[in-house]
């Protein structure tokens, strides 16, 4: 399957205009990047189809984010759900 941690657990480095620094240990979906950038720039996140349903992605609550990833091949559909400590995989044959 294509849901290995080296593809799911990818660091993102952002430099803000005011040079704030910090670390977010909670997993964040790529689908939520618009929210993260909006929060860093003090902007409204906009109306996108996916939302984290969190008040803040910068609040440091690592156990709160569940990130869902999936891949479909000719042989199977695999779904991974991960948080900051573990990952659960489900394989469904095609």
């Amino acid at each position: 399957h294509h849901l290995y941690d080296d593809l799911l657990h990818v660091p993102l480095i952002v430099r803000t205009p005011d040079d704030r620094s910090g670390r977010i240990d909670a997993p964040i979906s790529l689908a939520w990047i618009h929210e993260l950038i909006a929060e860093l720039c003090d902007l409204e996140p906009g109306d996108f189809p996916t939302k984290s349903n969190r008040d803040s992605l910068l609040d440091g609550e690592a156990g709160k984010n569940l990130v869902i990833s999936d891949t479909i091949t000719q042989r199977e559909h695999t779904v991974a759900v991960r948080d900051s400590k573990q990952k659960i995989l489900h394989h469904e044959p095609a």
Side-chain angles (χ1 to χ4, degrees), residues 1-36:
H1 59 83
H2 303 284
L3 297 174
Y4 298 106
D5 276 346
D6 55 345
L7 297 175
L8 295 175
H9 195 206
V10 179
L12 171 68
I13 299 171
V14 178
R15 181 173 179 190
T16 61
D18 61 359
D19 287 329
R20 286 187 287 178
S21 65
R23 181 183 177 116
I24 302 168
D25 290 322
I28 295 176
S29 171
L30 287 176
W32 306 339
I33 293 294
H34 68 282
E35 291 181 48
L36 179 62

Side-chain angles (χ1 to χ4, degrees), residues 41-77:
C41 297
D42 296 322
L43 300 170
E44 289 297 317
D47 189 22
F48 288 86
T50 58
K51 295 181 174 38
S52 69
N53 296 320
R54 300 274 311 274
D55 292 333
S56 172
L57 292 172
L58 301 175
D59 63 10
E61 294 183 59
K64 294 269 185 171
N65 290 351
L66 290 178
V67 177
I68 301 170
S69 304
D70 69 322
T71 185
I72 299 173
T73 68
Q74 291 180 340
R75 295 180 306 189
E76 64 185 2
H77 180 195

